[in-house]
Amino acid sequence: VTGAEITIYGATGDLHSGNYGNYVTDPAMALTRLIASMKDDAGNVVIRNFYDGVVPLTATERRAIDEIPNVDQKLLEQFGLARAQHPDSRIELQHNRPTLTVVGLQSGTVGANARNAVSGTAIGRVEMRLVNGLDEKTQFDRLVAHIREQGYFIVNGPPDAAIRRTQQKIARVVQTEKGFPIGKGNLEDPRTVMAANAIRSLDQRLVQMPTIGGSLPFSTFSDALQLPTIGLAVVNFDNNQHAVNENLRGQAHDLYIEDAIQETTIATAGISAEYGRFSGGVVNLITKSGGNQFSGSLRDTLTNDDWRAQLKAATPDGIDVDFENVGGQIMDAIFGRLNLRARVALCGLISG
């Protein structure tokens, strides 16, 4: 993933909308017009060469997608939508196309604090998800070239008086994320086939997704270590990733992730050599083995407001190892209990 923060400049400050509404450039209007120029009405990105270089899916990968149950209509119902942006193509195929998304806009005021003024600036943040065959520098350069094609003079910082007096359309474009290289597995690799057959042997329905929409450091293993990468998803689809009430639990009638856990232990002494030499605690989860017998539990989910105290009680000597994939308040609480020279394996921050 990569992205950019785009700032459009108007007057040197906010101005009365009645006196100057027809006299100065409205940066908010200019920004929305610029962003709208990046896509057509069908949702396709029209930035020059945006899709060039994408490695198409193989025949094996397309067959794997064809075997996945089609959930498009269920997703539309869940999200309260009338139609998908590309109704002629299922969601799994869209995962192999790069995206361009607006993740934030800022200009002026709204609500009870609204003022009748033309803002001096408008800021927008766009995100571009990469796919196999693309890199962050190329996509960012294509975005900047498109902005120039719309007549904008690009600056690296706030424009000075000379630039303001000579340039009518001024934009500052700052790359916000550089991400990491794309890592792509191979469904035909013998080790991948072995893993897939192991799941089938448990009488489990196998769903193989050649491409996912999220960002994971697969390239660390596939490129640097020359090892195959296989991701095993264990989260519920309605986990509200990167949104309010993000969760790792099921909703009504869904499987709770803890049903897959057989034993949880917190070791504070006598820790085995594989974890190194610590004075704090190590949390270890043992999952259940497969089988043909249905098992589970019926329960209600209650919010626990005392989780910080429970974390402190469970790790009286602090924490030496943290596999971090959450972020937010949970991460802050964990970091507050890290011991000197503790190790943190960072694998994303799904809480933003």
Side-chain angles (χ1 to χ4, degrees), residues 219-263:
S219 60
T220 301
F221 302 93
S222 60
D223 297 342
L225 301 179
Q226 296 298 306
L227 293 174
T229 55
I230 302 172
L232 180 62
V234 294
V235 298
N236 42 295
F237 89 97
D238 54 355
N239 60 354
N240 297 337
Q241 279 188 331
H242 299 327
V244 176
N245 295 326
E246 187 167 9
N247 64 85
L248 285 176
R249 54 179 172 77
Q251 304 297 326
H253 309 301
D254 286 340
L255 177 67
Y256 283 73
I257 186 173
E258 57 262 36
D259 279 332
I261 299 175
Q262 177 173 304
E263 179 182 325

mmCIF file of all heavy atoms in Angstrom, residues 219-263:
data_model
loop_
_atom_site.group_PDB
_atom_site.id
_atom_site.type_symbol
_atom_site.label_atom_id
_atom_site.label_comp_id
_atom_site.label_asym_id
_atom_site.label_seq_id
_atom_site.Cartn_x
_atom_site.Cartn_y
_atom_site.Cartn_z
ATOM 1 N N SER A 219 6.358 -10.798 1.684
ATOM 2 C CA SER A 219 7.586 -10.675 0.896
ATOM 3 C C SER A 219 8.828 -10.916 1.740
ATOM 4 O O SER A 219 9.868 -11.319 1.212
ATOM 5 C CB SER A 219 7.653 -9.294 0.248
ATOM 6 O OG SER A 219 7.656 -8.274 1.240
ATOM 7 N N THR A 220 8.750 -10.688 3.050
ATOM 8 C CA THR A 220 9.892 -10.948 3.925
ATOM 9 C C THR A 220 10.318 -12.403 3.831
ATOM 10 O O THR A 220 11.508 -12.735 3.864
ATOM 11 C CB THR A 220 9.532 -10.606 5.381
ATOM 12 O OG1 THR A 220 9.163 -9.223 5.439
ATOM 13 C CG2 THR A 220 10.709 -10.854 6.315
ATOM 14 N N PHE A 221 9.348 -13.287 3.695
ATOM 15 C CA PHE A 221 9.633 -14.712 3.621
ATOM 16 C C PHE A 221 9.851 -15.169 2.176
ATOM 17 O O PHE A 221 10.804 -15.888 1.877
ATOM 18 C CB PHE A 221 8.491 -15.507 4.250
ATOM 19 C CG PHE A 221 8.229 -15.150 5.686
ATOM 20 C CD1 PHE A 221 7.288 -14.195 6.021
ATOM 21 C CD2 PHE A 221 8.947 -15.758 6.697
ATOM 22 C CE1 PHE A 221 7.049 -13.853 7.337
ATOM 23 C CE2 PHE A 221 8.724 -15.431 8.027
ATOM 24 C CZ PHE A 221 7.771 -14.470 8.346
ATOM 25 N N SER A 222 8.971 -14.730 1.268
ATOM 26 C CA SER A 222 9.041 -15.221 -0.106
ATOM 27 C C SER A 222 10.254 -14.687 -0.856
ATOM 28 O O SER A 222 10.838 -15.391 -1.688
ATOM 29 C CB SER A 222 7.759 -14.860 -0.862
ATOM 30 O OG SER A 222 7.589 -13.460 -0.897
ATOM 31 N N ASP A 223 10.661 -13.459 -0.575
ATOM 32 C CA ASP A 223 11.790 -12.852 -1.292
ATOM 33 C C ASP A 223 13.102 -13.001 -0.523
ATOM 34 O O ASP A 223 14.076 -13.550 -1.033
ATOM 35 C CB ASP A 223 11.514 -11.363 -1.556
ATOM 36 C CG ASP A 223 10.313 -11.155 -2.464
ATOM 37 O OD1 ASP A 223 9.921 -12.117 -3.141
ATOM 38 O OD2 ASP A 223 9.769 -10.038 -2.481
ATOM 39 N N ALA A 224 13.127 -12.532 0.712
ATOM 40 C CA ALA A 224 14.373 -12.534 1.478
ATOM 41 C C ALA A 224 14.818 -13.948 1.863
ATOM 42 O O ALA A 224 16.001 -14.276 1.794
ATOM 43 C CB ALA A 224 14.221 -11.674 2.729
ATOM 44 N N LEU A 225 13.869 -14.798 2.253
ATOM 45 C CA LEU A 225 14.220 -16.137 2.718
ATOM 46 C C LEU A 225 13.941 -17.224 1.688
ATOM 47 O O LEU A 225 14.246 -18.398 1.914
ATOM 48 C CB LEU A 225 13.459 -16.450 4.013
ATOM 49 C CG LEU A 225 13.703 -15.491 5.183
ATOM 50 C CD1 LEU A 225 12.867 -15.901 6.380
ATOM 51 C CD2 LEU A 225 15.180 -15.458 5.548
ATOM 52 N N GLN A 226 13.332 -16.834 0.561
ATOM 53 C CA GLN A 226 13.012 -17.800 -0.496
ATOM 54 C C GLN A 226 12.162 -18.951 0.051
ATOM 55 O O GLN A 226 12.414 -20.123 -0.220
ATOM 56 C CB GLN A 226 14.294 -18.330 -1.143
ATOM 57 C CG GLN A 226 15.098 -17.269 -1.872
ATOM 58 C CD GLN A 226 14.330 -16.641 -3.029
ATOM 59 O OE1 GLN A 226 13.836 -17.336 -3.913
ATOM 60 N NE2 GLN A 226 14.191 -15.323 -3.007
ATOM 61 N N LEU A 227 11.157 -18.592 0.839
ATOM 62 C CA LEU A 227 10.246 -19.579 1.402
ATOM 63 C C LEU A 227 8.839 -19.327 0.881
ATOM 64 O O LEU A 227 8.456 -18.173 0.645
ATOM 65 C CB LEU A 227 10.241 -19.490 2.936
ATOM 66 C CG LEU A 227 11.524 -19.898 3.650
ATOM 67 C CD1 LEU A 227 11.395 -19.608 5.142
ATOM 68 C CD2 LEU A 227 11.816 -21.380 3.432
ATOM 69 N N PRO A 228 8.048 -20.381 0.692
ATOM 70 C CA PRO A 228 6.662 -20.171 0.255
ATOM 71 C C PRO A 228 5.847 -19.540 1.370
ATOM 72 O O PRO A 228 6.145 -19.725 2.563
ATOM 73 C CB PRO A 228 6.173 -21.590 -0.061
ATOM 74 C CG PRO A 228 7.009 -22.472 0.815
ATOM 75 C CD PRO A 228 8.360 -21.809 0.882
ATOM 76 N N THR A 229 4.840 -18.764 1.019
ATOM 77 C CA THR A 229 4.003 -18.107 2.014
ATOM 78 C C THR A 229 2.569 -18.592 1.876
ATOM 79 O O THR A 229 2.012 -18.636 0.779
ATOM 80 C CB THR A 229 4.038 -16.580 1.855
ATOM 81 O OG1 THR A 229 3.659 -16.253 0.511
ATOM 82 C CG2 THR A 229 5.428 -16.043 2.126
ATOM 83 N N ILE A 230 1.984 -18.942 3.006
ATOM 84 C CA ILE A 230 0.591 -19.381 3.053
ATOM 85 C C ILE A 230 -0.057 -18.678 4.239
ATOM 86 O O ILE A 230 0.419 -18.784 5.366
ATOM 87 C CB ILE A 230 0.473 -20.905 3.230
ATOM 88 C CG1 ILE A 230 1.200 -21.629 2.096
ATOM 89 C CG2 ILE A 230 -0.993 -21.330 3.295
ATOM 90 C CD1 ILE A 230 1.296 -23.125 2.307
ATOM 91 N N GLY A 231 -1.124 -17.935 4.001
ATOM 92 C CA GLY A 231 -1.836 -17.270 5.077
ATOM 93 C C GLY A 231 -3.073 -18.062 5.451
ATOM 94 O O GLY A 231 -3.805 -18.538 4.579
ATOM 95 N N LEU A 232 -3.290 -18.231 6.755
ATOM 96 C CA LEU A 232 -4.467 -18.951 7.247
ATOM 97 C C LEU A 232 -5.342 -17.963 8.003
ATOM 98 O O LEU A 232 -4.988 -17.492 9.088
ATOM 99 C CB LEU A 232 -4.054 -20.107 8.159
ATOM 100 C CG LEU A 232 -5.201 -20.948 8.756
ATOM 101 C CD1 LEU A 232 -5.988 -21.622 7.638
ATOM 102 C CD2 LEU A 232 -4.658 -21.982 9.725
ATOM 103 N N ALA A 233 -6.486 -17.627 7.421
ATOM 104 C CA ALA A 233 -7.379 -16.633 8.027
ATOM 105 C C ALA A 233 -8.200 -17.268 9.142
ATOM 106 O O ALA A 233 -8.786 -18.336 8.956
ATOM 107 C CB ALA A 233 -8.313 -16.059 6.959
ATOM 108 N N VAL A 234 -8.234 -16.602 10.300
ATOM 109 C CA VAL A 234 -9.008 -17.118 11.426
ATOM 110 C C VAL A 234 -9.998 -16.074 11.949
ATOM 111 O O VAL A 234 -10.656 -16.308 12.962
ATOM 112 C CB VAL A 234 -8.078 -17.546 12.585
ATOM 113 C CG1 VAL A 234 -7.223 -18.716 12.178
ATOM 114 C CG2 VAL A 234 -7.212 -16.386 13.063
ATOM 115 N N VAL A 235 -10.118 -14.933 11.273
ATOM 116 C CA VAL A 235 -11.010 -13.882 11.765
ATOM 117 C C VAL A 235 -12.391 -14.001 11.119
ATOM 118 O O VAL A 235 -12.561 -14.597 10.058
ATOM 119 C CB VAL A 235 -10.435 -12.486 11.466
ATOM 120 C CG1 VAL A 235 -9.125 -12.295 12.179
ATOM 121 C CG2 VAL A 235 -10.244 -12.282 9.960
ATOM 122 N N ASN A 236 -13.379 -13.427 11.788
ATOM 123 C CA ASN A 236 -14.738 -13.354 11.245
ATOM 124 C C ASN A 236 -14.801 -12.243 10.210
ATOM 125 O O ASN A 236 -14.144 -11.208 10.343
ATOM 126 C CB ASN A 236 -15.743 -13.094 12.363
ATOM 127 C CG ASN A 236 -15.250 -12.067 13.366
ATOM 128 O OD1 ASN A 236 -14.273 -12.319 14.059
ATOM 129 N ND2 ASN A 236 -15.899 -10.911 13.418
ATOM 130 N N PHE A 237 -15.611 -12.438 9.178
ATOM 131 C CA PHE A 237 -15.626 -11.475 8.067
ATOM 132 C C PHE A 237 -16.201 -10.125 8.507
ATOM 133 O O PHE A 237 -15.924 -9.093 7.901
ATOM 134 C CB PHE A 237 -16.436 -12.026 6.884
ATOM 135 C CG PHE A 237 -17.904 -11.703 6.931
ATOM 136 C CD1 PHE A 237 -18.415 -10.636 6.231
ATOM 137 C CD2 PHE A 237 -18.776 -12.470 7.692
ATOM 138 C CE1 PHE A 237 -19.759 -10.330 6.277
ATOM 139 C CE2 PHE A 237 -20.126 -12.183 7.739
ATOM 140 C CZ PHE A 237 -20.626 -11.103 7.028
ATOM 141 N N ASP A 238 -16.999 -10.120 9.569
ATOM 142 C CA ASP A 238 -17.603 -8.875 10.027
ATOM 143 C C ASP A 238 -16.811 -8.286 11.189
ATOM 144 O O ASP A 238 -17.382 -7.767 12.152
ATOM 145 C CB ASP A 238 -19.066 -9.103 10.434
ATOM 146 C CG ASP A 238 -19.218 -10.227 11.459
ATOM 147 O OD1 ASP A 238 -18.201 -10.889 11.776
ATOM 148 O OD2 ASP A 238 -20.344 -10.451 11.935
ATOM 149 N N ASN A 239 -15.486 -8.355 11.100
ATOM 150 C CA ASN A 239 -14.652 -7.878 12.208
ATOM 151 C C ASN A 239 -14.397 -6.370 12.171
ATOM 152 O O ASN A 239 -13.659 -5.842 12.988
ATOM 153 C CB ASN A 239 -13.317 -8.619 12.230
ATOM 154 C CG ASN A 239 -12.523 -8.430 10.946
ATOM 155 O OD1 ASN A 239 -13.016 -7.827 9.993
ATOM 156 N ND2 ASN A 239 -11.318 -8.942 10.898
ATOM 157 N N ASN A 240 -15.023 -5.674 11.199
ATOM 158 C CA ASN A 240 -14.921 -4.205 11.130
ATOM 159 C C ASN A 240 -13.476 -3.719 11.076
ATOM 160 O O ASN A 240 -13.090 -2.779 11.787
ATOM 161 C CB ASN A 240 -15.634 -3.558 12.320
ATOM 162 C CG ASN A 240 -17.116 -3.848 12.345
ATOM 163 O OD1 ASN A 240 -17.702 -4.149 11.317
ATOM 164 N ND2 ASN A 240 -17.725 -3.787 13.506
ATOM 165 N N GLN A 241 -12.684 -4.322 10.217
ATOM 166 C CA GLN A 241 -11.277 -3.922 10.122
ATOM 167 C C GLN A 241 -11.156 -2.443 9.798
ATOM 168 O O GLN A 241 -11.833 -1.924 8.927
ATOM 169 C CB GLN A 241 -10.578 -4.744 9.035
ATOM 170 C CG GLN A 241 -10.143 -6.117 9.495
ATOM 171 C CD GLN A 241 -9.284 -6.806 8.463
ATOM 172 O OE1 GLN A 241 -9.415 -6.567 7.270
ATOM 173 N NE2 GLN A 241 -8.406 -7.670 8.905
ATOM 174 N N HIS A 242 -10.238 -1.762 10.528
ATOM 175 C CA HIS A 242 -9.959 -0.338 10.343
ATOM 176 C C HIS A 242 -11.199 0.529 10.537
ATOM 177 O O HIS A 242 -11.294 1.616 9.956
ATOM 178 C CB HIS A 242 -9.369 -0.067 8.956
ATOM 179 C CG HIS A 242 -8.082 -0.766 8.706
ATOM 180 N ND1 HIS A 242 -7.156 -1.018 9.685
ATOM 181 C CD2 HIS A 242 -7.557 -1.300 7.560
ATOM 182 C CE1 HIS A 242 -6.122 -1.648 9.168
ATOM 183 N NE2 HIS A 242 -6.343 -1.844 7.894
ATOM 184 N N ALA A 243 -12.171 0.071 11.312
ATOM 185 C CA ALA A 243 -13.397 0.832 11.515
ATOM 186 C C ALA A 243 -13.788 0.787 12.989
ATOM 187 O O ALA A 243 -13.109 0.178 13.817
ATOM 188 C CB ALA A 243 -14.522 0.271 10.640
ATOM 189 N N VAL A 244 -14.901 1.432 13.318
ATOM 190 C CA VAL A 244 -15.383 1.454 14.693
ATOM 191 C C VAL A 244 -15.778 0.048 15.123
ATOM 192 O O VAL A 244 -16.305 -0.742 14.341
ATOM 193 C CB VAL A 244 -16.588 2.415 14.807
ATOM 194 C CG1 VAL A 244 -17.169 2.390 16.215
ATOM 195 C CG2 VAL A 244 -16.163 3.834 14.432
ATOM 196 N N ASN A 245 -15.524 -0.259 16.388
ATOM 197 C CA ASN A 245 -15.869 -1.566 16.964
ATOM 198 C C ASN A 245 -15.175 -2.715 16.250
ATOM 199 O O ASN A 245 -15.776 -3.762 15.988
ATOM 200 C CB ASN A 245 -17.387 -1.791 16.958
ATOM 201 C CG ASN A 245 -18.118 -0.813 17.849
ATOM 202 O OD1 ASN A 245 -17.602 -0.405 18.881
ATOM 203 N ND2 ASN A 245 -19.307 -0.408 17.448
ATOM 204 N N GLU A 246 -13.899 -2.530 15.937
ATOM 205 C CA GLU A 246 -13.127 -3.628 15.364
ATOM 206 C C GLU A 246 -13.072 -4.775 16.367
ATOM 207 O O GLU A 246 -12.947 -4.558 17.572
ATOM 208 C CB GLU A 246 -11.722 -3.152 15.035
ATOM 209 C CG GLU A 246 -10.912 -4.172 14.288
ATOM 210 C CD GLU A 246 -9.647 -3.578 13.710
ATOM 211 O OE1 GLU A 246 -9.339 -2.416 14.051
ATOM 212 O OE2 GLU A 246 -8.967 -4.251 12.941
ATOM 213 N N ASN A 247 -13.198 -5.995 15.879
ATOM 214 C CA ASN A 247 -13.319 -7.118 16.805
ATOM 215 C C ASN A 247 -12.705 -8.375 16.230
ATOM 216 O O ASN A 247 -12.493 -8.496 15.022
ATOM 217 C CB ASN A 247 -14.792 -7.372 17.148
ATOM 218 C CG ASN A 247 -15.592 -7.787 15.918
ATOM 219 O OD1 ASN A 247 -15.638 -8.953 15.550
ATOM 220 N ND2 ASN A 247 -16.224 -6.810 15.271
ATOM 221 N N LEU A 248 -12.429 -9.311 17.096
ATOM 222 C CA LEU A 248 -11.953 -10.637 16.716
ATOM 223 C C LEU A 248 -12.887 -11.691 17.292
ATOM 224 O O LEU A 248 -12.479 -12.721 17.786
ATOM 225 C CB LEU A 248 -10.527 -10.867 17.227
ATOM 226 C CG LEU A 248 -9.424 -10.146 16.481
ATOM 227 C CD1 LEU A 248 -8.080 -10.372 17.154
ATOM 228 C CD2 LEU A 248 -9.365 -10.614 15.032
ATOM 229 N N ARG A 249 -14.169 -11.420 17.214
ATOM 230 C CA ARG A 249 -15.147 -12.348 17.745
ATOM 231 C C ARG A 249 -16.270 -12.500 16.738
ATOM 232 O O ARG A 249 -16.472 -11.665 15.874
ATOM 233 C CB ARG A 249 -15.736 -11.835 19.062
ATOM 234 C CG ARG A 249 -16.306 -10.426 18.948
ATOM 235 C CD ARG A 249 -16.892 -9.959 20.257
ATOM 236 N NE ARG A 249 -17.271 -8.562 20.210
ATOM 237 C CZ ARG A 249 -18.361 -8.087 19.623
ATOM 238 N NH1 ARG A 249 -19.191 -8.923 19.007
ATOM 239 N NH2 ARG A 249 -18.630 -6.805 19.620
ATOM 240 N N GLY A 250 -17.045 -13.564 16.852
ATOM 241 C CA GLY A 250 -18.174 -13.778 15.952
ATOM 242 C C GLY A 250 -19.382 -12.990 16.387
ATOM 243 O O GLY A 250 -19.507 -12.569 17.527
ATOM 244 N N GLN A 251 -20.306 -12.781 15.475
ATOM 245 C CA GLN A 251 -21.590 -12.197 15.813
ATOM 246 C C GLN A 251 -22.588 -13.337 15.995
ATOM 247 O O GLN A 251 -22.230 -14.502 16.050
ATOM 248 C CB GLN A 251 -22.025 -11.233 14.696
ATOM 249 C CG GLN A 251 -21.013 -10.144 14.394
ATOM 250 C CD GLN A 251 -20.766 -9.223 15.560
ATOM 251 O OE1 GLN A 251 -21.682 -8.962 16.332
ATOM 252 N NE2 GLN A 251 -19.539 -8.744 15.731
ATOM 253 N N ALA A 252 -23.849 -13.016 16.097
ATOM 254 C CA ALA A 252 -24.864 -14.038 16.340
ATOM 255 C C ALA A 252 -24.808 -15.119 15.263
ATOM 256 O O ALA A 252 -24.706 -14.836 14.066
ATOM 257 C CB ALA A 252 -26.248 -13.387 16.360
ATOM 258 N N HIS A 253 -24.841 -16.369 15.688
ATOM 259 C CA HIS A 253 -24.871 -17.548 14.822
ATOM 260 C C HIS A 253 -23.535 -17.813 14.134
ATOM 261 O O HIS A 253 -23.439 -18.685 13.278
ATOM 262 C CB HIS A 253 -25.972 -17.449 13.749
ATOM 263 C CG HIS A 253 -27.302 -17.103 14.305
ATOM 264 N ND1 HIS A 253 -27.943 -17.870 15.240
ATOM 265 C CD2 HIS A 253 -28.121 -16.049 14.065
ATOM 266 C CE1 HIS A 253 -29.107 -17.315 15.558
ATOM 267 N NE2 HIS A 253 -29.228 -16.196 14.859
ATOM 268 N N ASP A 254 -22.501 -17.058 14.497
ATOM 269 C CA ASP A 254 -21.190 -17.275 13.900
ATOM 270 C C ASP A 254 -20.288 -18.010 14.890
ATOM 271 O O ASP A 254 -20.524 -18.012 16.095
ATOM 272 C CB ASP A 254 -20.529 -15.946 13.511
ATOM 273 C CG ASP A 254 -21.175 -15.346 12.283
ATOM 274 O OD1 ASP A 254 -21.843 -16.088 11.530
ATOM 275 O OD2 ASP A 254 -21.021 -14.148 12.094
ATOM 276 N N LEU A 255 -19.231 -18.627 14.384
ATOM 277 C CA LEU A 255 -18.278 -19.353 15.228
ATOM 278 C C LEU A 255 -17.394 -18.372 15.977
ATOM 279 O O LEU A 255 -16.853 -17.445 15.398
ATOM 280 C CB LEU A 255 -17.402 -20.273 14.367
ATOM 281 C CG LEU A 255 -16.306 -21.044 15.096
ATOM 282 C CD1 LEU A 255 -16.925 -22.068 16.042
ATOM 283 C CD2 LEU A 255 -15.393 -21.729 14.088
ATOM 284 N N TYR A 256 -17.261 -18.566 17.258
ATOM 285 C CA TYR A 256 -16.350 -17.757 18.059
ATOM 286 C C TYR A 256 -14.932 -18.296 17.877
ATOM 287 O O TYR A 256 -14.709 -19.506 17.935
ATOM 288 C CB TYR A 256 -16.730 -17.805 19.537
ATOM 289 C CG TYR A 256 -17.913 -16.941 19.873
ATOM 290 C CD1 TYR A 256 -19.191 -17.311 19.494
ATOM 291 C CD2 TYR A 256 -17.738 -15.750 20.558
ATOM 292 C CE1 TYR A 256 -20.279 -16.516 19.814
ATOM 293 C CE2 TYR A 256 -18.809 -14.950 20.886
ATOM 294 C CZ TYR A 256 -20.081 -15.334 20.507
ATOM 295 O OH TYR A 256 -21.135 -14.543 20.812
ATOM 296 N N ILE A 257 -13.991 -17.407 17.708
ATOM 297 C CA ILE A 257 -12.628 -17.829 17.452
ATOM 298 C C ILE A 257 -12.068 -18.626 18.624
ATOM 299 O O ILE A 257 -11.255 -19.529 18.448
ATOM 300 C CB ILE A 257 -11.728 -16.606 17.149
ATOM 301 C CG1 ILE A 257 -10.337 -17.054 16.730
ATOM 302 C CG2 ILE A 257 -11.637 -15.676 18.358
ATOM 303 C CD1 ILE A 257 -9.472 -15.912 16.262
ATOM 304 N N GLU A 258 -12.558 -18.347 19.862
ATOM 305 C CA GLU A 258 -12.018 -19.065 21.004
ATOM 306 C C GLU A 258 -12.451 -20.536 21.018
ATOM 307 O O GLU A 258 -11.902 -21.336 21.773
ATOM 308 C CB GLU A 258 -12.405 -18.379 22.322
ATOM 309 C CG GLU A 258 -13.883 -18.211 22.510
ATOM 310 C CD GLU A 258 -14.340 -16.820 22.114
ATOM 311 O OE1 GLU A 258 -13.782 -16.268 21.154
ATOM 312 O OE2 GLU A 258 -15.240 -16.302 22.775
ATOM 313 N N ASP A 259 -13.436 -20.908 20.198
ATOM 314 C CA ASP A 259 -13.811 -22.318 20.109
ATOM 315 C C ASP A 259 -12.695 -23.153 19.502
ATOM 316 O O ASP A 259 -12.699 -24.379 19.620
ATOM 317 C CB ASP A 259 -15.081 -22.483 19.260
ATOM 318 C CG ASP A 259 -16.344 -22.183 20.058
ATOM 319 O OD1 ASP A 259 -16.301 -22.370 21.293
ATOM 320 O OD2 ASP A 259 -17.335 -21.763 19.471
ATOM 321 N N ALA A 260 -11.750 -22.502 18.814
ATOM 322 C CA ALA A 260 -10.637 -23.236 18.214
ATOM 323 C C ALA A 260 -9.463 -23.383 19.182
ATOM 324 O O ALA A 260 -8.486 -24.042 18.872
ATOM 325 C CB ALA A 260 -10.161 -22.531 16.942
ATOM 326 N N ILE A 261 -9.572 -22.764 20.367
ATOM 327 C CA ILE A 261 -8.476 -22.791 21.338
ATOM 328 C C ILE A 261 -8.736 -23.866 22.384
ATOM 329 O O ILE A 261 -9.794 -23.900 23.007
ATOM 330 C CB ILE A 261 -8.317 -21.420 22.006
ATOM 331 C CG1 ILE A 261 -7.986 -20.357 20.945
ATOM 332 C CG2 ILE A 261 -7.218 -21.462 23.068
ATOM 333 C CD1 ILE A 261 -7.936 -18.958 21.497
ATOM 334 N N GLN A 262 -7.767 -24.751 22.557
ATOM 335 C CA GLN A 262 -7.898 -25.822 23.536
ATOM 336 C C GLN A 262 -7.325 -25.429 24.887
ATOM 337 O O GLN A 262 -7.884 -25.749 25.934
ATOM 338 C CB GLN A 262 -7.172 -27.077 23.029
ATOM 339 C CG GLN A 262 -7.178 -28.257 24.011
ATOM 340 C CD GLN A 262 -6.590 -29.496 23.389
ATOM 341 O OE1 GLN A 262 -7.062 -29.939 22.336
ATOM 342 N NE2 GLN A 262 -5.568 -30.047 24.012
ATOM 343 N N GLU A 263 -6.221 -24.695 24.882
ATOM 344 C CA GLU A 263 -5.560 -24.378 26.150
ATOM 345 C C GLU A 263 -4.802 -23.071 26.027
ATOM 346 O O GLU A 263 -4.175 -22.800 25.000
ATOM 347 C CB GLU A 263 -4.601 -25.510 26.525
ATOM 348 C CG GLU A 263 -3.822 -25.284 27.814
ATOM 349 C CD GLU A 263 -2.867 -26.426 28.089
ATOM 350 O OE1 GLU A 263 -3.215 -27.586 27.776
ATOM 351 O OE2 GLU A 263 -1.769 -26.153 28.595
#
